[in-house]
Amino acid sequence: MEKPNRRDRRGGSFLLLSIVLVFCILGTVVYAVSRKISREMSASAIQNLSESLDLIQCTIEAILKNEAEFQALVAQEVARAEDPMAFVRACERNQTMSKISLVPAGEAEGISNTGEVFTEAELDFSAGGSVEGMPVSQSYVNYMGTWSYTIKCPVVRDGREIGTLYAEYVYDAIDRSLPDGFYDKQASLYIMDAESERFVLKPKGMGKRSAGHLNLDDFYRANSIEDPGIRAEVEECLEQGRNILFYHDIRGVNALSYMWSVNGGTIFLVGYVPVEAIQQEGRTVNQNIFILIAAMLTAFLLCVLLYYLSQRQQARLRREREEERQLHSQQLAEALRAAQIASESKTTFLSNMSHDIRTPMNAVLGFATLLSMDAENPAKVREYTRKITSSGQHLLSLINDILDVSKIESGKVALNLEKFALSDVVSSVEAIIQPMAKARGQAFHVEVTGLRHEYLVGDETRINQILINLLSNAVKYTQEGGCIWFRLIGLQQRSAQYEHIRIEVEDNGYGMTPEYLKTIFDAFTRAENSTTNKVQGTGLGMAITKSIVELMGGTIDVSSEVNRGSLFQVELELRVPEEGADRQFWEQRGISRVLAIAGDQESRRNIQTLMEDTGVLLDAVSGTAEALEKIPSGGFQLVLLDWDALGPESAAAVQALREALGDGVPILLLAEYGAQGMEEALAAARTGLLAKPFFVAALRERIAEMWADPNGEIGPEPEGPGSLEGLRLLAAEDNEINAEILAELLELAGASCEIVENGRLAVERFQSSAAGEFDAILMDVQMPVMNGHDATRAIRALSREDAGRIPIIAMTANAFAEDEKAARDAGMDAHVAKPLDVELLQRIINQHTRREETL
């Protein structure tokens, strides 16, 4: 490495000293200019104070002049009046004149417009002050307790003085005419009567509003003005009616005090202004100068730094050239390692996907082969098709997971915020998870506590997706005979417009290691052990769940111990819809009082909270004995009975309640799904079942059913989707295989179907059909010539009477929420994703064709 020579070092030192000298000279010049500007600004500030006082002086003198001129005009009116005394008595007070009095010539007493006798002896005009040649009295406190002064004016008629007009003015009129603000209200200002040295006015908008002073001596004492020289000079100014300014410390603050003559010295402006307020502009200039100096110093330091860096630059460049080859080699090695890691990640992902996709695909192909070999054996055909369907559904779920996480990571997912009922969410999730858990001999418990609102605004589909992901994992990763808990907990609300809820999914299954917990929400990760390796999946479920929760503005946490189980906690805030409670439902059915029997205090509190907005009076008791005591005087129209609160004599307790209530009052048993031993209790008249957890919406549905059937004999809901017997459908499907499958499936369900190849043909066929020829239209979305959205809009725009109401159902492989929204925006009534779920398709067709029949 080369060393810098001595000449370069000397040249650099000289350059540095030159820079320092230049900045020192510049700093000295700036400091001198700053001092000069400060002195000039101080002198200018004092001049500004004098001009401000002159302005106030002129304002007050103008007010006095206007008052005198106005009084002269009033005197002329009095002189022209036939009865001057009556004229004066009739004058009304105004904001300027508080009192007008007239003393006839040659008399000692007169009359005022206030009705009292007036005499000049009450006033003191000895000071000799005047306005426009009219004498002004010494200031005094009038009958209203306000400082005032009086101006007297002769009343002349036909060149002869017939009397004297006295007008009393209050100083508050001067206050109203003064400008608002005096040195940003930091100054102090009083108006003082020169003769009595009394402070007669402290203007409201001028200066500080501290406790006022009574007179000049009080002002001296309050502000510690004890210098005899200053006091003597002030007395001289008062006698001569001239102005004075002097510096003095007022309560520790350096201030400029003033005595300013008004109206030839009859009154004075007295006060002070802090020097800080006077020199505000000067300080601002100095601050700007100091900023400039700071900027210069910063520039100087930057120059020094640049100089220092320039000295090191050559050495650094030489070192960099020597290290360049080594750095280049290191970068190549790191790039190689990164490429290897990426390749390993790709290989791992493809290996996982190959295994997970090939497993159900192998089942599909294998059972398809067996199906062709055993086509004459109906039992085996049904078994093979069931297994093919199960494997196909699993393969579809793998593909959906991959596509779903891709949409979420690309930011293309949009939440579909609509009003929904938590009861629907719980019941739909329970309907899916309960059979899964039952098949593995697991106990599945649902608990709902602390909720204040049952109807919320959110994306119900995404919330269901979160719950199904968490609960299906709990089922898969819990041993046979284990337990799973699903809890929906209402937390303290942060806002009345939002319900704060916590979702808990807990199991006593295999659990997870601390190492895996760190990566559980990463895509394509799964717990690896001899037990969990048997469970198929993409490793995307938790990543998708976390992404959806965060998209909703919520949080998700997990805790777990190996062989002890896991606990997932999701917290969300969902908006409460702006709708009032539907009390008409209860009034129409004559329900005004309900008895709830629940042994658990938390259950009773939950029922009471959810029933608060219904307008129904709810009595909650802990047991049957307490309920039997309340029934005779209660006047209940409905009884809710927690099955768990009854104990071993449950059937006898229900019978006792029935005897006490009579046959007219329904009893609903609150019980978990699959609860045993209720057959005898349900055999009682007007007794039904309401599945736990308790929701008002579910209660309303059950009440509607029982009121529709007064005997309470309500049969089970149909298990299947219903037959399509006799329906005639029009379908638009461009894929021949899909069209063949659709036609066969609908024919098996009892419906006939006419299939066209694209959207334009569907529009033309419907346009040429007779009214009522088709019961519904099944519309693919992606088709040649005209897609399904455009075809739907064209059908809805037809002039036919049934064009606007015939059900149109989207039947497409576009399976995301935004695809469903696009279908509804185009005018479609429903959306079914491919591959087709036959039962779902039949249910939707039945739902919309039945709705059409009732219109």
Side-chain angles (χ1 to χ4, degrees), residues 31-50:
Y31 178 75
V33 171
S34 173
R35 295 292 297 174
K36 181 176 182 299
I37 290 175
S38 180
R39 289 192 298 270
E40 292 177 353
M41 293 297 292
S42 296
S44 176
I46 294 173
Q47 179 64 28
N48 288 340
L49 174 60
S50 299

Side-chain angles (χ1 to χ4, degrees), residues 513-527 539 542-543:
T513 63
E515 293 75 20
Y516 178 64
L517 284 177
K518 298 177 181 178
T519 62
I520 185 173
F521 295 116
D522 296 341
F524 311 113
T525 60
R526 294 194 301 179
M542 289 298 98

Side-chain angles (χ1 to χ4, degrees), residues 25-67:
I25 295 172
L26 185 58
T28 302
V29 172
V30 169
Y31 178 75
V33 171
S34 173
R35 295 292 297 174
K36 181 176 182 299
I37 290 175
S38 180
R39 289 192 298 270
E40 292 177 353
M41 293 297 292
S42 296
S44 176
I46 294 173
Q47 179 64 28
N48 288 340
L49 174 60
S50 299
E51 292 176 356
S52 298
L53 293 172
D54 286 339
L55 176 60
I56 296 174
Q57 171 194 345
C58 292
T59 300
I60 296 174
E61 290 177 348
I63 293 170
L64 295 174
K65 181 180 178 181
N66 289 338
E67 290 174 348

Side-chain angles (χ1 to χ4, degrees), residues 636-685:
F636 302 107
Q637 294 86 36
L638 177 67
V639 175
L640 301 176
L641 179 57
D642 189 347
W643 182 253
D644 296 333
L646 296 180
E649 303 297 331
S650 54
V654 173
Q655 185 61 34
L657 288 172
R658 171 52 64 208
E659 292 175 359
L661 291 167
D663 294 337
V665 179
I667 300 176
L668 289 180
L669 303 181
L670 293 170
E672 289 188 353
Y673 178 87
Q676 302 298 321
M678 292 189 297
E679 293 79 6
E680 183 178 352
L682 291 174

Side-chain angles (χ1 to χ4, degrees), residues 2 20 62 109 193 242 279 374 497 534 589 610 639 673:
E2 299 180 3
V20 172
E109 295 182 350
D193 181 75
R242 61 183 179 86
Q279 296 180 348
D374 293 322
Q497 286 75 37
K534 298 176 183 178
R589 289 158 179 80
L610 291 177
V639 175
Y673 178 87

